[in-house]
Amino acid sequence: MAADDTDDYTRRTRAIDRLGILLGARVRRDVDLAPYTTYKVGGPASLLVTARTIDDLHAVSSALREQQVPLLVIGRGSNLLVSDDGFEGLALVLGEFAEDIVLPQAPAVPRVVAGGAVPLPVLARQCAARGLTGFEWGVGVPGSVGGAVRMNAGGHGSDMASSLEVVKIFHLGKGIVANVKASDLGLRFRGSDLGPEHVVLSATFALSWGDKTASEAEMAEIVRWRREHQPGGQNAGSVFVNPEPGGGSSGAIIDRLGLRGFRIGTAEVSTKHANFIQCDPDGSADDVVAVMTHVRGRVRDELGIDLRSEVRLVGFTSTTAEAAGATPDRAQLGAQSGAQHGATTALDRVFGPLAGDETLSVVTIAPPLPDDAVAELAELFAPTGEIVRPTVETARPTGETATATPATDTRATTSGATSGDTPVAPVVDITAVTTASAPRSPVVIDDTALRLPHERTEGSAAIPAVDEARSGSITIDPTSPFADPRTGVVDDESLAAVIVDDRLTRRRLPRWLRLRRVSPLVALGVVIVLLSLTLVVLASPIFAVRRIEVIGLTYTDAVLLESVKESLSGASVFTADLDSAKRRLEGDPWVRSARLAWYLPDRVVIEIDERSPVAWFVGVDNRSRVLDRDGRVLQVLEGQPTQFLKIEGVGPNLAAGTVTTPVYVGAAQLAVALPDGVRERVKHLNVDGPEQLGMTLKTGTVVKMGAPVDLRYKLVVVATVLAQQDPKFIVSIDVSSGQAVVQNA
């Protein structure tokens, strides 16, 4: 049975499938979203794209304009709860290109630029290390810069709006990038005007130069306070927004009702902080929402306070979200993003309306013409649009003279319009300027002087004067309305005026530009000579490739490179197959891209951009696999490349050029992300199973990282522990949950 197009589920499924086809290799299907959130629960997304370059965002934008589906932009997922049923749409995650931080050097202007994917704790610590103050509060917020801008995150007496200056935003609906002032973002308490179509690429902060030691002490106090007062584990921080000023904190209100420890299934109100809802490992998002709904209902019914949630609920019905105190997630591209539905915000005005809005420009009606302009038009144009010269006598049998009658300036509205119609511009009625008895007078242009002899009819000739033109000797097309139907000749009775323009006859091309008849044999000879000269030039040894320069060569296969050079050597620089050589070089796993260019008279330059090795592991066949930061196998070796970081554990047998499993990809990215203070302490990385990543320090300390997500944040936690304690006395550090659990010797 054919699918029913009227079924909503069928339409959504088809749109998602078509979008997946448009995105091609950039997209992954049915990806579990639990690892992308701090709750670690939730179902899969139909499609997921990791944007590693700005080109990926343009590709997503183009595809979404073809097939609009629900869209979810994920940062660090610290305020996100995804339904157990998953998300029917496209989830977008920013890659490494949005993780850069640009810090100034004193005494320059203390302005910091951070990518949208940078974790706030990382940004806070790097700012403090550079001597910048004003962002210390960010060390306690487990979110990304992009998510923090969207939610105007804050804590400890400050928020994003206090230092945010400019935000670079990519608009997925229009495919354009704009720098938006913070004042145009509609920032408010835990919210902004950013919609699902706005992707934060970077943010600029205006900070101040301060005391590095004081900033680090302040951050240490923030971290200590959070550890004492807030729970770790799987949660999304504070669930409910504090009521209006003077209404107390949400945690105190919930605690007043004795709801600490209240549990439904796998979720419970934290016993450490009543405004945190914890979820058990392998728990259920539906249980978390059920606890939220129960807590909100009790507070509303018993205290008359309506708590609102700051956690984004994705994939839930609007009824479920409203019951839990959350605003239904605006996941559809192009959804209204104003502070109020239907309102036009400053952010909307920056980007303008979407192309699909079909917004029409306002029609402006011109004011009426002045009287003198109307009179002038009346003198020049008759009702038929013909040119009339009122002062020139026209030849008539009776000798009468045509005179010009002043036009009347009549102004009226459109016929049939009622008094309630919208007024329109007045219509100018131009009165005929000829007398009532005057016949229509045609204007005839004599071109007989320009005709070739065989084009002239009998009796036609070049008549140089108007008097001769009136003699009746001009023959025109018999179909003309001014010709005598019997003779085809225009006589004095119907001929009004003959305009003879002999300027055309005087125009002559220069002698050397005039076309001349050329013999076909001569033309063929010229073509043969030109072809011969071209072949001689192409075959000339002067333009044969004799010098080949290679730039950027380190690991590329030397045998392949020599083969490519041999294929180019001796060929003409004009005809050398550089595209084929480029494809052959890029077939080497070490080569990220290759660029070839020729230079006269005999030189070819090969520029190679190689991938960088970062780690290696041993496969089942006891051979080593060298990986780059993307987890691609660059080379398979018999020995052990000890110059790179080793990944302990037996990995898969993969050929060069293939991408390894996600946990080994995470290990490679971990090797790249290691800060200097930690890298020098690391002995090797560990892979224990498909979802367990860690590392062993040179002191024997084992660091458990858990699933290969949130690696940068976990590294910050590890670096903090190592800075506070001597690793010689630490047996293990477990940061799998995002919080450090230290076991001392």
Side-chain angles (χ1 to χ4, degrees):
M1 181 179 295
D4 183 6
D5 284 340
T6 62
D7 181 67
D8 290 339
Y9 175 78
T10 301
R11 286 198 297 269
R12 290 197 305 269
T13 303
R14 287 187 176 182
I16 290 172
D17 289 341
R18 290 167 182 165
L19 183 67
I21 294 173
L22 290 172
L23 291 173
R26 288 183 170 89
V27 73
R28 290 187 290 161
R29 295 176 179 268
D30 299 322
V31 180
D32 189 12
L33 291 182
Y36 291 90
T37 69
T38 55
Y39 261 123
K40 305 301 181 187
V41 295
S46 302
L47 303 173
L48 186 140
V49 171
T50 300
R52 304 188 185 280
T53 64
I54 194 70
D55 291 338
D56 290 338
L57 290 179
H58 280 288
V60 170
S61 175
S62 299
L64 286 174
R65 288 198 292 271
E66 294 290 333
Q67 288 290 333
Q68 288 196 4
V69 303
L71 174 69
L72 174 65
V73 180
I74 301 178
R76 295 178 57 80
S78 59
N79 70 326
L80 201 64
L81 180 63
V82 181
S83 167
D84 293 330
D85 295 331
F87 174 64
E88 290 186 1
L90 172 66
L92 178 65
V93 180
L94 291 182
E96 297 84 356
F97 85 102
E99 296 180 354
D100 293 335
I101 301 176
V102 180
L103 298 170
Q105 290 282 359
V109 177
R111 185 171 287 108
V112 177
V113 180
V118 172
L120 290 189
V122 173
L123 177 60
R125 293 189 179 279
Q126 291 200 18
C127 287
R130 189 59 64 91
L132 293 162
T133 184
F135 205 78
E136 291 83 356
W137 63 270
V139 75
V141 180
S144 65
V145 168
V149 171
R150 185 180 301 273
M151 294 299 296
N152 189 24
H156 301 277
S158 188
D159 58 11
M160 294 292 287
S162 62
S163 58
L164 191 63
E165 192 174 54
V166 177
V167 178
K168 180 180 289 186
I169 297 176
F170 185 94
H171 196 299
L172 288 170
K174 299 178 73 66
I176 59 177
V177 178
N179 290 314
V180 183
K181 294 184 296 184
S183 58
D184 292 335
L185 296 175
L187 297 176
R188 50 192 177 273
F189 186 74
R190 301 301 178 264
S192 70
D193 288 342
L194 270 69
E197 67 273 17
H198 301 121
V199 179
V200 176
L201 299 180
S202 66
T204 302
F205 300 91
L207 304 180
S208 303
W209 293 112
D211 183 18
K212 174 181 176 181
T213 303
S215 295
E216 291 179 345
E218 182 179 348
M219 290 190 298
E221 176 61 23
I222 291 174
V223 172
R224 183 200 62 77
W225 185 91
R226 285 190 171 257
R227 286 179 178 175
E228 289 182 359
H229 296 85
Q230 295 180 356
Q234 297 178 191
N235 61 68
S238 298
V239 174
F240 296 104
V241 179
N242 291 335
E244 296 297 328
S249 68
S250 295
I253 293 172
I254 297 170
D255 197 25
R256 192 190 314 172
L257 299 179
L259 290 174
R260 287 200 189 201
F262 174 80
R263 173 176 285 268
I264 295 179
T266 60
E268 70 171 1
V269 178
S270 172
T271 57
K272 196 171 186 179
H273 194 301
N275 199 21
F276 281 60
I277 296 179
Q278 301 286 108
C279 187
D280 297 340
D282 300 323
S284 168
D286 291 340
D287 291 343
V288 177
V289 171
V291 173
M292 293 173 60
T293 303
H294 177 83
V295 170
R296 178 172 179 262
R298 285 279 304 273
V299 172
R300 183 186 61 242
D301 296 341
E302 298 184 27
L303 301 178
I305 300 174
D306 187 15
L307 295 180
R308 306 303 300 177
S309 172
E310 60 181 273
V311 177
R312 294 177 61 197
L313 302 186
V314 176
F316 296 91
T317 64
S318 58
T319 302
T320 301
E322 287 289 351
T327 302
D329 192 67
R330 294 178 285 106
Q332 182 66 41
L333 181 68
Q336 178 64 36
S337 59
Q340 298 177 352
H341 183 71
T344 300
T345 66
L347 183 59
D348 295 331
R349 290 190 290 271
V350 170
F351 288 99
L354 292 178
D357 287 350
E358 298 179 358
T359 304
L360 298 178
S361 58
V362 179
V363 177
T364 303
I365 301 177
L369 294 174
D371 295 342
D372 55 349
V374 174
E376 183 177 353
L377 289 173
E379 294 177 359
L380 294 177
F381 293 94
T384 59
E386 300 166 348
I387 298 178
V388 177
R389 305 184 185 279
T391 59
V392 179
E393 293 186 0
T394 55
R396 303 185 184 280
T398 60
E400 296 178 354
T401 303
T403 58
T405 303
T408 59
D409 181 12
T410 60
R411 303 184 181 186
T413 58
T414 306
S415 61
T418 63
S419 59
D421 292 339
T422 302
V424 297
V427 178
V428 178
D429 183 14
I430 303 178
T431 307
V433 297
T434 57
T435 61
S437 60
R440 294 180 58 189
S441 301
V443 177
V444 181
I445 300 177
D446 178 20
D447 64 347
T448 53
L450 304 178
R451 298 183 184 180
L452 296 176
H454 68 279
E455 294 177 333
R456 299 175 183 171
T457 59
E458 183 178 356
S460 65
I463 304 177
V466 174
D467 292 336
E468 295 183 7
R470 295 174 179 167
S471 64
S473 60
I474 296 179
T475 303
I476 63 174
D477 188 349
T479 61
S480 171
F482 303 107
D484 189 315
R486 294 170 298 176
T487 62
V489 177
V490 180
D491 56 13
D492 289 338
E493 296 295 330
S494 60
L495 182 62
V498 177
I499 301 175
V500 180
D501 189 354
D502 59 351
R503 290 175 296 176
L504 295 176
T505 63
R506 296 198 302 268
R507 295 176 182 174
R508 294 289 185 268
L509 292 174
R511 183 180 301 275
W512 59 277
L513 283 179
R514 296 177 187 175
L515 295 177
R516 299 181 179 180
R517 294 184 179 272
V518 180
S519 170
L521 293 178
V522 174
L524 179 61
V526 171
V527 172
I528 293 175
V529 169
L530 293 176
L531 290 176
S532 301
L533 290 175
T534 302
L535 294 175
V536 168
V537 170
L538 293 178
S540 173
I542 298 176
F543 301 106
V545 177
R546 288 189 293 272
R547 294 184 297 160
I548 301 178
E549 300 177 12
V550 182
I551 301 174
L553 177 65
T554 302
Y555 301 104
T556 304
D557 186 1
V559 177
L560 172 63
L561 183 60
E562 286 300 321
S563 175
V564 170
K565 293 169 68 174
E566 289 179 4
S567 67
L568 297 176
S569 182
S572 172
V573 293
F574 300 109
T575 59
D577 193 354
L578 301 185
D579 290 337
S580 176
K582 170 184 169 68
R583 289 192 297 270
R584 291 180 60 190
L585 287 172
E586 291 180 345
D588 189 331
W590 284 97
V591 179
R592 186 183 303 274
S593 63
R595 292 175 290 276
L596 288 82
W598 55 266
Y599 299 90
L600 293 176
D602 58 359
R603 184 165 64 102
V604 170
V605 175
I606 302 175
E607 186 177 355
I608 298 176
D609 180 16
E610 292 186 330
R611 294 183 170 90
S612 300
V614 297
W616 62 280
F617 68 90
V618 178
V620 179
D621 58 358
N622 204 32
R623 301 175 70 190
S624 301
R625 270 81 179 170
V626 181
L627 302 178
D628 70 350
R629 65 180 300 162
D630 298 323
R632 184 183 299 274
V633 178
L634 302 179
Q635 192 171 2
V636 180
L637 302 174
E638 295 293 343
Q640 297 186 356
T642 55
Q643 67 269 36
F644 312 127
L645 198 59
K646 182 180 180 180
I647 305 173
E648 283 289 346
V650 179
N653 288 341
L654 298 176
T658 57
V659 178
T660 185
T661 57
V663 68
Y664 278 92
V665 173
Q669 294 176 353
L670 178 61
V672 176
L674 287 173
D676 295 337
V678 177
R679 181 185 297 275
E680 58 191 18
R681 301 174 184 266
V682 176
K683 180 180 180 181
H684 54 71
L685 305 178
N686 304 324
V687 171
D688 300 322
E691 289 292 333
Q692 295 298 318
L693 185 62
M695 54 187 176
T696 301
L697 305 184
K698 294 177 181 178
T699 58
T701 304
V702 176
V703 180
K704 299 178 181 179
M705 310 290 289
V709 296
D710 298 335
L711 295 180
R712 288 182 178 271
Y713 176 70
K714 294 175 181 178
L715 281 175
V716 171
V717 177
V718 172
T720 303
V721 173
L722 295 179
Q724 295 175 347
Q725 301 184 40
D726 190 340
K728 294 180 181 179
F729 304 102
I730 301 176
V731 176
S732 67
I733 304 173
D734 189 350
V735 293
S736 302
S737 63
Q739 302 292 333
V741 179
V742 181
Q743 180 181 355
N744 294 318

